[in-house]
Amino acid sequence: MSDLPESFDEAFLVSERSEWLRRTFPTLLDADLPPEVEPFSFVPASGLEEVASAVRVGPGGLLVDIACGRGGPGMWVARRIGATLCGVDSSPVAVASAARRRDAFGLGASARFVVGDLTGTGLDAGVADAVMCVDAFQFTEDRDLAARELRRVLRPGGRLVLTCWEARTPGDADVVERFATLRCGEVLRAAGFADVDVAERPAWEQRRRAVYEAALGTDPSDDPGLTLMQAEARTALAEMPRIKRVLATATNPE
Ligand SMILES: C[S@@+](CC[C@H](N)C(=O)[O-])C[C@H]1O[C@@H](n2cnc3c(N)ncnc32)[C@H](O)[C@@H]1O
């Protein structure tokens, strides 16, 4: 049996039981991350600062965090810029956990979380002043539909900020399919986004490598989250030289 969970619901249930995932992992990723963030992703504190700046939302604006997971990165950004927040995720376990964690950020009713899909969020068209999507776009089964959905929920002029990975060589057979065929710039332009920029962030990737190496260097324990990370590390370290870490930004022109 694989050590990897079969669904994100299962992975988030593991995370609830894992001291290593909630406490040790964020510190290994970046000691500057506030403890309440508890990310389920690989964006360091400087990266969240970049997201907060790139969304270009002022106090009171609505930030939508699509594929928000347990909500930490989105709540950190919303608190930083004074925005209201709507987090969307396909995992009911993650959405329930995010809602429970609002008080840790002092956000209360200014943050809400709903179950929805990257390809169909259930949100009204044009509601969002900005959309962020952290380390999740690769999981959708229909990238074109998902990109159109990200644009649909944005108001005219609204900004999209997305973090992901892409193969260095498109179609690379030694890279998992979800990265091998993903070209963020192409899919966002095809969905009608303007000002599309895709920038590599190698320093973030060095931090991911450090997490994996630390996990593999730790004796196996009873912690299910550590076991999960060790399994991921074995695959991910091998393909890391073949993929690049990217931050994509774009604007909904109309
Ligand atoms: C690596 S986690 C990132 C979570 C969160 N953004 C963070 O930074 O902590 C990927 C997330 O994508 C969500 N996800 C995967 N496929 C999805 C889909 N088709 N629609 C919505 N969310 C999805 C998962 O449930 C999970 O929460």
Side-chain angles (χ1 to χ4, degrees):
M1 193 179 113
S2 163
D3 286 331
L4 292 170
E6 290 187 356
S7 69
F8 274 105
D9 272 343
E10 198 185 316
F12 285 117
L13 288 171
V14 167
S15 143
E16 300 282 335
R17 302 196 316 271
S18 170
E19 187 74 8
W20 192 92
L21 269 185
R22 285 181 293 106
R23 302 278 172 249
T24 308
F25 160 63
T27 311
L28 290 170
L29 179 65
D30 186 350
D32 288 339
L33 274 173
E36 64 272 21
V37 177
E38 295 185 15
F40 208 76
S41 52
F42 289 92
V43 177
S46 65
L48 293 183
E49 289 281 6
E50 268 197 86
V51 173
S53 160
V55 291
R56 297 185 197 154
V57 174
L62 177 64
L63 172 66
V64 171
D65 180 10
I66 297 189
C68 62
R70 300 177 65 244
M75 286 195 275
W76 187 92
V77 171
R79 185 176 63 187
R80 182 73 164 176
I81 62 182
T84 56
L85 176 70
C86 177
V88 181
D89 199 282
S90 57
S91 161
V93 174
V95 166
S97 176
R100 280 196 303 274
R101 286 167 17 81
R102 277 182 305 210
D103 289 347
F105 289 82
L107 290 178
S110 69
R112 70 185 183 103
F113 296 91
V114 296
V115 175
D117 197 272
L118 270 155
T119 57
T121 58
L123 303 181
D124 289 342
V127 288
D129 294 296
V131 168
M132 60 184 274
C133 180
V134 171
D135 294 0
F137 191 74
Q138 69 272 20
F139 294 118
T140 181
E141 288 179 5
D142 189 333
R143 290 166 187 162
D144 292 325
L145 190 57
R148 289 200 297 274
E149 177 66 2
L150 298 179
R151 186 173 160 220
R152 188 188 69 80
V153 300
L154 275 170
R155 67 162 168 78
R159 297 272 292 163
L160 169 68
V161 183
L162 186 153
T163 67
C164 203
W165 291 265
E166 295 180 344
R168 293 198 176 278
T169 306
D172 188 338
D174 290 329
V175 168
V176 290
E177 200 276 337
R178 62 177 176 271
F179 298 137
T181 55
L182 180 54
R183 307 318 277 168
C184 293
E186 285 174 21
V187 77
L188 294 179
R189 283 186 198 97
F193 278 99
D195 307 328
V196 176
D197 182 65
V198 181
E200 190 171 354
R201 289 290 176 270
W204 300 6
E205 202 64 338
Q206 283 169 20
R207 290 178 179 274
R208 186 164 75 115
R209 174 179 288 281
V211 169
Y212 289 148
E213 289 175 346
L216 289 177
T218 306
D219 282 340
S221 70
D222 292 342
D223 189 301
L226 174 59
T227 308
L228 189 68
M229 190 64 81
Q230 287 173 331
E232 180 175 320
R234 287 184 199 102
T235 313
L237 279 172
E239 75 178 3
M240 212 175 251
R242 309 182 79 88
I243 61 176
K244 60 181 174 184
R245 183 66 160 128
V246 295
L247 171 72
T249 54
T251 304
N252 177 23
E254 59 193 37

